[in-house]
Amino acid sequence: MEKRELRLRMLDAFTVYAIAFIVTVLCWVLYGFIGVAALYIGYALAVAAVIIVSLKTKLKISAVLKFGRPGIKEIISCGFLTAGALLASLPAVLFVQIILPDFAESSFRFSQIVGNGAARYVHIVMLILISAFTECMLFDGYIFTRLRKGMRLLFVALITGALFMVFRHDLYVIVPLFMCGAAISYVRGRTSNMTLPLIMHIIINTVIMAFTDAASEDPTALFGAKLGIVQVIGMGLILLGSALPVTAVGMRIMGDFKNRPIFEKAIVLLVSVVMISTGYAISRIS
């Protein structure tokens, strides 16, 4: 019976996801005719789909939109986990920039959407906030709630991270989307409300949009020079090595890494030091 209920909940979650995904694709097509208004329509329809299916499955909206006041420790942990996810995913973006430069330059550019008129900054703020709320409601509200009962948090985080990655359909930042989506879902599970996940969505959307804009216009803008493959490997190791302890601290504050054996913590620290040292040595090779 429990397995059957889990399958039904998964079917509900993926049904809502499929509806929202199709709506966003259609709105990107519609964008060519009516401009940025299509995006607002798409987000509104996605929210409506979540509400309608929630009512149909007798899932209270209060369970989907469950907000609360986070504690100081949770806020600090959220900061570490957000930083860790971004650090861990940046090497993949660097590799795409080096291996497929034409693809990177032709990737999604936010400035192309909002234009350069007087309403530019209004559209930027509105789209960041509306997209963050819609994604949070869809992934960390409905989908998370449907999957969490009967499934381990790690699996739920990985599934929602993968769905978030595909939903945004921007292959240039596919790894950051997955890593950040999983981190947000983890925070949702540990805090039992959507306040911090919503803040994380806003921060991550802002960072990713700014990053893709800068990298699309000038691949050297972020690092001051066009990096070679050797330098990218070195910088990637440094970033990954830095992400390990940052993420571990975030999980420790949240309570998950607290009772692990001391040798496991020592291994994480050792691996981090080795990766950073190796990355630094490699990056110095001219």
Side-chain angles (χ1 to χ4, degrees):
M1 181 63 71
E2 291 183 357
K3 290 184 177 180
R4 182 175 181 274
E5 290 180 357
L6 178 59
R7 285 196 295 269
L8 290 175
R9 288 196 298 271
M10 291 181 68
L11 179 61
D12 289 339
F14 287 116
T15 299
V16 172
Y17 175 80
I19 293 172
F21 183 82
I22 292 171
V23 166
T24 58
V25 172
L26 292 177
C27 285
W28 276 112
V29 175
L30 190 61
Y31 167 78
F33 299 95
I34 64 174
V36 72
L39 303 185
Y40 293 113
I41 294 173
Y43 288 128
L45 291 176
V47 170
V50 173
I51 294 174
I52 292 171
V53 177
S54 297
L55 295 175
K56 181 179 180 297
T57 57
K58 298 181 180 180
L59 180 64
K60 294 181 179 179
I61 300 299
S62 58
V64 176
L65 295 175
K66 185 178 180 181
F67 291 94
R69 184 178 179 180
I72 298 298
K73 287 186 176 180
E74 292 175 338
I75 294 173
I76 296 173
S77 173
C78 174
F80 276 99
L81 291 169
T82 303
L86 291 172
L87 285 171
S89 57
L90 189 54
V93 180
L94 293 176
F95 272 107
V96 173
Q97 225 171 319
I98 298 299
I99 298 172
L100 300 170
D102 294 335
F103 174 73
E105 291 177 7
S106 63
S107 181
F108 169 80
R109 189 182 300 177
F110 192 57
S111 58
Q112 294 175 343
I113 302 299
V114 299
N116 297 306
R120 170 183 172 83
Y121 296 106
V122 174
H123 283 312
I124 289 176
V125 173
M126 290 297 293
L127 285 174
I128 287 175
L129 294 178
I130 292 173
S131 63
F133 176 80
T134 305
E135 291 161 357
C136 196
M137 184 179 185
L138 175 61
F139 295 101
D140 307 299
Y142 188 84
I143 292 178
F144 181 91
T145 303
R146 299 303 286 170
L147 296 181
R148 181 68 179 100
K149 187 177 181 181
M151 188 178 293
R152 294 179 60 184
L153 178 58
L154 175 62
F155 295 142
V156 177
L158 293 176
I159 290 173
T160 53
L163 293 176
F164 181 54
M165 171 185 69
V166 176
F167 185 77
R168 292 289 291 269
H169 44 263
D170 185 5
L171 297 179
Y172 180 43
V173 288
I174 191 170
V175 175
L177 291 173
F178 172 74
M179 298 291 291
C180 294
I184 293 171
S185 183
Y186 170 80
V187 172
R188 168 68 173 88
R190 283 290 172 254
T191 60
S192 299
N193 68 74
M194 289 172 54
T195 303
L196 287 179
L198 178 59
I199 294 173
M200 290 176 73
H201 268 290
I202 293 172
I203 294 172
I204 288 167
N205 282 354
T206 303
V207 171
I208 289 179
M209 287 176 180
F211 186 94
T212 52
D213 261 22
S216 296
E217 294 176 4
D218 181 8
T220 69
L222 298 172
F223 305 101
K226 190 170 183 179
L227 303 175
I229 187 65
V230 175
Q231 285 72 31
V232 168
I233 293 174
M235 186 170 289
L237 287 172
I238 292 174
L239 292 169
L240 289 173
S242 302
L244 279 175
V246 171
T247 304
V249 169
M251 295 178 67
R252 168 68 173 79
I253 296 173
M254 200 66 81
D256 272 350
F257 208 61
K258 184 176 181 179
N259 299 318
R260 305 304 300 175
I262 188 66
F263 77 89
E264 290 187 9
K265 299 176 182 178
I267 289 175
V268 171
L269 183 59
L270 178 62
V271 171
S272 174
V273 171
V274 170
M275 291 180 71
I276 293 174
S277 300
T278 306
Y280 178 77
I282 292 175
S283 65
R284 300 296 293 179
I285 298 176
S286 57

